[in-house]
Amino acid sequence: MATKSTEPHRSSRRTFLKGTTVAAAAPAAAALLAGALPGTAAAADASALPDYAPVPSASVGPALNADGYFVGPITRNLYWVTDSYYQAMFLTTREGVVLVDAPPTIGHSLLRAIEQVTRANGMPGKVTHLVYSHSHADHIGASVILGKDVVRIGHTETRRLLRLDRDPNRPAPTVTFDDRYVLKVGGERLELAYHGPNHSPDNIFIHAPDHATLMVVDVLYPGWVPFQNLAVSQDIPAWVKAQDVAMDYPWQTLVGGHLGRLGVRADGDTQRQYMADLDASVRKASSTVDPTPYFQKYGPSGNSWAVFKTYLEAVAQQAADPVIAKYSGSLAAADVFTADNAFALLESLRIDAGQLGPFGIRP
C-alpha cells in the first residue's frame, strides 16, 4: 500500500520539476509538496500568500535535472547532490561509495545520482558506508532506502537519540564515536569530529581534507539567512560558536546541508557578520523599547503571556528591521526569517545570558 500511495507523488514531482531552474522550481515544488500529499487539505490560494523579496542570483544554485535533482563534482571523486532544499555529499572509491546524509526530499534520487556518477567514472556504485551528520529526520530520513548492509556511522549521542525515536526510516548507527573518528575506505578518508552541542546535541563536522571540503549541517547557510529561529537550534550560544569552529577548518568548499548551492569562505564571513549585526541590534532594541505600554494594556487583566508576547515581538521586530534593510539583495530570505531569528536570539540573551530586561530582579 505504501508503494502505491507514494510513488505516484514522487513521479509527479519529478515531472513537475522537469526542465525548470532551481529558482523557478523551488516555490512551485514547495506548494506541490505541501498540498498534494494524500489525505491532506487542499493547498492555500497562492494569491493570498505574502510576497517576499526576490532571491539574489548569487544565492541560487545550479538547475535541477528532469528528476528534480542536481549532482556534480566538488573535487575529483567527491560529489554533492541537491534538490534545492537539502544537500548530501558522497565519495566514490574503489571499494564502494561513502554517503554523508540521506535527506528524504532527495530520497531515491540519491541512488540515481550515485548510479549516474559511478557509471561515468567506473567506480563501484554500491553504498557501503553512510555517515549521519546528526539524528534529525529531515537530513537522514531516507537512510532506510540503503538497506540493512550499509555501515552506518554517527556520534554516540546520535545512536542514543535514534534508539529513543525508534523511527524505522532512521536505523541507529552501528559504528559510533565520542570525539573523533577517521573513516578510511578505498584509499579515501573522512575526518569526523564532535565539538559539542550546537544545532542539535549530536551535530558533527565532516572534513574531507584531501578535497579541502567541510560538511557541517544547519550551521552555515551559503547565500541565505539562517533558517527560522536560528536553525531551530537547541543551544543558541553553542550554535553561534560553531560558526567560528567551522571557519577554523582549512576548507575551500562547504556543504551546508541546505538549499541549492555550495559555500565558499566568504559565505561564512558574511553569516558571522549577519549574526554580529543581529546581536548588536537585539541588544540595542532591548534597551530602547519601552515595556510600559505592554504592562499597562495586559497587566490589569492578568494576561501575563500577552505581556511577554507583545513586548518580545516588538523588540524582535525593531531589532530585525535594520538588519533586513542591510542584507536584502545580498542574503536570500533576509525578509523571511530575520524577525524570527531576532526573537530566538533575544530569548537566548534572556535565558542563557541573563539579560532579562523588564523581567529581571524586582527592585
Side-chain angles (χ1 to χ4, degrees):
M1 294 297 292
T3 302
K4 291 181 180 179
S5 64
T6 59
E7 186 60 37
H9 169 64
R10 190 181 304 124
S11 298
S12 65
R13 180 173 65 175
R14 293 201 304 271
T15 302
F16 184 76
L17 294 174
K18 184 177 181 180
T20 63
T21 64
V22 172
L32 180 66
L33 288 167
L37 293 173
T40 61
D45 178 7
S47 65
L49 297 176
D51 293 321
Y52 293 107
V55 174
S57 59
S59 301
V60 177
L64 307 181
N65 65 14
D67 284 323
Y69 70 89
F70 170 85
V71 62
I74 298 176
T75 64
R76 302 191 308 279
N77 57 318
L78 179 66
Y79 297 84
W80 71 297
V81 57
T82 183
D83 62 351
S84 85
Y85 301 105
Y86 286 84
Q87 300 173 359
M89 180 176 79
F90 62 93
L91 267 169
T92 62
T93 81
R94 61 176 179 264
E95 295 177 8
V97 174
V98 178
L99 175 64
V100 184
D101 279 357
T105 65
I106 305 177
H108 286 82
S109 288
L110 288 168
L111 303 180
R112 297 184 188 97
I114 290 169
E115 195 277 333
Q116 174 185 336
V117 165
T118 54
R119 184 178 67 245
N121 70 12
M123 293 284 196
K126 179 178 175 58
V127 177
T128 58
H129 297 76
L130 173 61
V131 176
Y132 288 163
S133 65
H134 62 305
S135 64
H136 289 172
D138 63 326
H139 289 278
I140 64 168
S143 173
V144 67
I145 71 174
L146 300 169
K148 297 180 179 180
D149 294 335
V150 64
V151 178
R152 293 174 169 86
I153 303 164
H155 190 261
T156 303
E157 182 69 0
T158 300
R159 178 163 62 183
R160 186 188 73 82
L161 291 168
L162 290 178
R163 284 178 169 177
L164 289 174
D165 292 342
R166 301 178 66 181
D167 180 357
N169 291 326
R170 293 176 287 157
T174 53
V175 176
T176 61
F177 67 98
D178 291 325
D179 298 315
R180 296 183 183 275
Y181 183 86
V182 178
L183 174 62
K184 297 180 179 180
V185 179
E188 294 288 340
R189 64 175 178 150
L190 292 177
E191 297 178 352
L192 315 182
Y194 179 67
H195 296 285
N198 48 76
H199 164 69
S200 67
D202 60 325
N203 203 25
I204 65 170
F205 292 67
I206 303 103
H207 187 211
D210 298 332
H211 301 271
T213 297
L214 176 69
M215 182 169 177
V216 58
V217 172
D218 288 321
V219 172
L220 295 173
Y221 291 79
W224 296 69
V225 300
F227 185 73
Q228 188 173 33
N229 296 329
L230 299 178
V232 291
S233 297
Q234 294 172 257
D235 188 332
I236 298 299
W239 178 81
V240 173
K241 181 182 177 182
Q243 297 169 49
D244 296 330
V245 173
M247 295 302 290
D248 284 340
Y249 277 82
W251 55 269
Q252 297 301 315
T253 302
L254 177 85
V255 182
H258 273 288
L259 304 164
R261 75 164 174 85
L262 297 171
V264 296
R265 295 198 66 86
D267 293 314
D269 294 334
T270 298
Q271 182 170 313
R272 288 195 295 179
Q273 186 60 56
Y274 169 88
M275 287 304 304
D277 291 339
L278 191 64
D279 182 89
S281 194
V282 167
R283 292 174 188 269
K284 180 178 179 181
S286 297
S287 65
T288 57
V289 174
D290 182 6
T292 304
Y294 306 95
F295 283 94
Q296 290 177 336
K297 172 70 175 179
Y298 303 107
S301 67
N303 195 339
S304 300
W305 275 175
V307 175
F308 274 85
K309 173 182 170 62
T310 56
Y311 170 73
L312 295 174
E313 287 182 349
V315 173
Q317 190 61 59
Q318 181 166 308
D321 287 343
V323 180
I324 293 170
K326 177 177 178 178
Y327 288 94
S328 289
S330 60
L331 283 182
D335 57 333
V336 178
F337 280 146
T338 296
D340 295 318
N341 289 337
F343 189 93
L345 188 55
L346 172 62
E347 283 298 274
S348 177
L349 290 173
R350 288 198 322 115
I351 294 169
D352 299 317
Q355 298 184 20
L356 296 169
F359 309 107
I361 299 173
R362 181 182 295 275

